[in-house]
Amino acid sequence: MGYHIQVEANINIYVEDLNPEGCKTIVFIHGWPANHKMFEYQFDQLPRQGYRCIGIDLRGFGNSDKPWDGYHYDQLADDIRCVVEALGLQQFILGGHSTGGAIAIRYMARHSGYGVAKLALFAAAAPSLIQRAYFPYGLERAAIEKIIEDTYNDRPNMLQGFGNMFFFQHVTGPFSEWFFQLGLEAAGWSTAAIAKTWLDEEGLFSDLGTIRVPTLILHGLHDRVCLFPLAVAQHKGIKNSRLVPFKYSGHGLFYDQRDKFNKELVEFIEE
């Protein structure tokens, strides 16, 4: 079941709500530059096991409205809060992949974890996607500036290149094309705007220490986008957290090791 929820005047966010009568609710926040459909291999299985799965398309992506602005983490976290309140969600599990994980962390800090019972971070882009003087573990700033430049000059080519480094295990040509099309569903300006946010956002370092709920960190050892030391930093920064390395995964661990991913998530929910 899919529908739109208004988060601001003339701005509507798309929500996919699977098994609304499920026993426990998991809210999924996708990574850049895709949308909720990236979790297809979770949505195939978890509702069958009795869980309510809610996939949210961030503004600018998927089936959500694509305004010109509002692509900083504060606003994106506020959008999630609007969805949570509109659906009356309580004691849910909040899960985020990559940039979606960063937004989930900002939600926990900015909204005091409103309604969240547990947090799950999947290859999260936190506390910093890029290298900084005090954090040498991310990508080089120039690599992100190149992504932004390429987004403006030849976004399809940029998306294909990004997709080629996303997964560690082999994916078929049709699967690669499907994943590529997810990125094309976004607007060019929102795709670039999120990438610009990676350069300037430094608040996640302090956000980590505000998280009080049990937290699961799933991260591929071969991740070439959000390098594995980011997961180590998250684990150190979040007191009640558990880090599970994925030995045979890259950035797309939700597909690289989808059975293990689903199993770890379910076990965490039921703890």
Side-chain angles (χ1 to χ4, degrees):
M1 180 170 59
Y3 43 81
H4 285 87
I5 292 174
Q6 185 173 4
V7 296
E8 283 188 280
N10 301 317
I11 299 177
N12 298 285
I13 296 298
Y14 181 78
V15 174
E16 189 78 25
D17 194 348
L18 302 173
N19 191 22
E21 304 303 320
C23 59
K24 295 182 181 179
T25 300
I26 315 164
V27 174
F28 291 85
I29 308 176
H30 65 84
W32 178 96
N35 52 61
H36 79 279
K37 295 175 187 175
M38 70 184 297
F39 293 114
E40 174 173 335
Y41 298 89
Q42 286 63 59
F43 295 161
D44 282 350
Q45 301 297 329
L46 298 180
R48 294 172 55 193
Q49 299 178 43
Y51 299 104
R52 180 185 187 185
C53 292
I54 297 175
I56 300 174
D57 284 351
L58 298 171
R59 65 167 64 199
F61 295 83
N63 292 323
S64 288
D65 288 345
K66 299 171 175 62
W68 183 248
D69 54 15
Y71 297 102
H72 52 87
Y73 289 166
D74 286 358
Q75 180 61 64
L76 297 167
D78 291 351
D79 289 349
I80 303 301
R81 173 67 181 260
C82 289
V83 172
V84 169
E85 290 187 344
L87 298 181
L89 301 181
Q90 297 178 353
Q91 293 297 299
F92 66 94
I93 294 86
L94 178 61
H97 175 262
S98 194
T99 295
I103 295 164
I105 291 170
R106 176 56 47 82
Y107 178 91
M108 298 301 295
R110 184 170 171 84
H111 297 286
S112 301
Y114 180 83
V116 177
K118 294 181 178 181
L119 176 66
L121 302 174
F122 320 133
S128 176
L129 183 66
I130 67 167
Q131 297 175 8
R132 302 185 188 278
Y134 51 88
F135 188 76
Y137 305 112
L139 300 178
E140 293 184 1
R141 185 183 185 93
I144 304 306
E145 292 173 339
K146 182 69 163 55
I147 285 176
I148 296 168
E149 178 184 357
D150 290 348
T151 298
Y152 286 130
N153 291 325
D154 188 343
R155 184 165 67 104
N157 188 60
M158 181 280 294
L159 289 173
Q160 283 201 332
F162 186 72
N164 289 340
M165 63 184 291
F166 206 91
F167 300 98
F168 177 67
Q169 300 202 35
H170 172 74
V171 298
T172 63
F175 181 93
S176 180
E177 177 65 20
W178 168 78
F179 191 73
F180 168 66
Q181 292 296 331
L182 297 187
L184 285 180
E185 292 182 29
W189 58 86
S190 55
T191 302
I194 291 288
K196 292 175 183 177
T197 297
W198 300 333
L199 298 176
D200 301 326
E201 177 61 65
E202 299 185 58
L204 294 172
F205 287 94
S206 57
D207 287 351
L208 293 176
T210 70
I211 297 172
R212 298 289 181 263
V213 301
T215 301
L216 176 67
I217 302 168
L218 307 180
H219 211 109
L221 289 175
H222 304 280
D223 196 325
R224 292 192 286 163
V225 180
C226 295
L227 307 184
F228 189 76
L230 271 65
V232 175
Q234 294 161 29
H235 183 43
K236 289 180 179 179
I238 302 173
K239 289 184 178 180
N240 191 13
S241 65
R242 176 162 57 90
L243 171 58
V244 180
F246 277 52
K247 296 181 181 180
Y248 307 107
S249 289
H251 195 50
L253 71 169
F254 56 87
Y255 185 75
D256 274 333
Q257 291 183 265
R258 50 198 174 278
D259 291 341
K260 177 178 175 60
F261 183 99
N262 293 348
K263 180 175 180 289
E264 293 286 353
L265 184 55
V266 167
E267 289 179 354
F268 173 66
I269 292 169
E270 295 300 332
E271 285 177 353

